[in-house]
Amino acid sequence: QVQLQESGPGLVKPSETLSLTCAVSGYSISSGYYWGWIRQPPGKGLEWIGSIYRGGSTNYNPSLKSRVTISVDTSKNQFSLKLSSVTAADTAVYYCARQSYSSTWPHFDYWGQGTLVTVSS
Amino acid sequence: QSVLTQPPSASGTPGQRVTISCSGSSSNIGRNFVYWYQQFSGTAPKLLIDRNNQRPSGVPDRFSGSKSGTSASLAISGLRSEDEADYYCAAWDDSLSGPSVVFGGGTKLTVL
């Protein structure tokens, strides 16, 4: 079955860049689908960060677009998130998920377990 | 403040029917599909309703979704204690300020 696993530092200093990777198993990213990042601040709701297709086409949340870069490495079957100039407001559980064949369908059917990233000095 | 508006809480007793609303606008729910997610504390969300009213494989038929105009609803019939969770609606938003996936703020369902 499709499995996703987030990895990366759990603590990032303010003004630095948050970097996470999502390793996918049980499905080849090259086969299709969009792949997305969603975050959830402690005790709050879900926020979509952005999504990427196998060829590298991306869509980003307009409110985060200036700070976000999502990339894909099909040879490693993984995709990554970089969020620059982080502040305490970026503290959240970060999830990666498989989306759908359409970037305009927020159909996320497989999710990683999530990883808590804390922004603090 | 979320683009899609949900009541922060809802409750019901076992066996009851409960509905959770999700209000949007013409740029999101009014022209695009609505999706619903169920999230238990400390776990990743689970897709509950696909494309307004479709249940993914494995989702009990006690859960149903509907959409009318710029609003959508999730209904849970025959409420069970294990339904106690947070529920989120989601849609694509074609806003001129930038297209985006948008989520509701979430509704915490309590089974009394």
Side-chain angles (χ1 to χ4, degrees):
Chain A
Q1 72 279 23
V2 182
Q3 293 184 314
L4 296 90
Q5 179 67 57
E6 305 91 350
S7 62
L11 181 64
V12 181
K13 290 182 170 54
S15 80
E16 294 190 344
T17 296
L18 178 161
S19 296
L20 295 174
T21 296
C22 181
V24 179
S25 59
Y27 188 86
S28 173
I29 289 180
S30 298
S31 297
Y33 282 93
Y34 276 83
W35 303 82
W37 288 97
I38 301 100
R39 69 180 183 179
Q40 184 171 36
K44 297 187 178 181
L46 302 169
E47 180 181 35
W48 175 71
I49 300 170
S51 300
I52 190 166
Y53 195 59
R54 59 183 177 182
S57 171
T58 53
N59 287 299
Y60 297 136
N61 186 321
S63 68
L64 299 170
K65 190 172 184 177
S66 64
R67 300 194 291 130
V68 173
T69 301
I70 297 176
S71 59
V72 64
D73 186 337
T74 54
S75 66
K76 294 182 178 179
N77 214 39
Q78 64 186 34
F79 59 107
S80 301
L81 167 70
K82 290 188 185 300
L83 180 65
S84 64
S85 305
V86 297
T87 69
D90 294 310
T91 294
V93 174
Y94 285 76
Y95 295 101
C96 60
R98 189 178 80 167
Q99 194 170 337
S100 74
Y101 280 102
S102 171
S103 66
T104 64
W105 291 5
H107 167 118
F108 298 99
D109 57 0
Y110 290 96
W111 295 67
Q113 64 184 24
T115 186
L116 174 63
V117 179
T118 301
V119 178
S120 175
S121 56
Chain B
Q1 191 158 335
S2 304
V3 173
L4 303 181
T5 301
Q6 297 180 236
S9 64
S11 64
T13 56
Q16 269 191 330
R17 183 176 187 271
V18 171
T19 61
I20 297 172
S21 62
C22 177
S23 178
S25 68
S26 59
S27 67
N28 43 65
I29 293 179
R31 69 177 69 169
N32 294 304
F33 291 126
V34 177
Y35 299 74
W36 288 91
Y37 291 86
Q38 177 188 57
Q39 184 181 35
F40 297 107
S41 181
T43 68
K46 169 191 171 184
L47 180 63
L48 197 63
I49 297 292
D50 179 20
R51 285 171 289 162
N52 299 335
N53 54 22
Q54 304 299 305
R55 282 186 305 277
S57 174
V59 174
D61 59 7
R62 301 187 297 106
F63 294 90
S64 62
S66 63
K67 180 182 118 170
S68 178
T70 60
S71 293
S73 292
L74 171 70
I76 308 172
S77 60
L79 195 63
R80 299 183 178 183
S81 59
E82 57 260 39
D83 297 332
E84 188 161 289
D86 294 325
Y87 293 85
Y88 294 90
C89 58
W92 180 257
D93 188 287
D94 293 310
S95 170
L96 291 177
S97 62
S100 175
V101 171
V102 291
F103 286 95
T107 298
K108 184 176 185 60
L109 175 64
T110 300
V111 181
L112 302 170

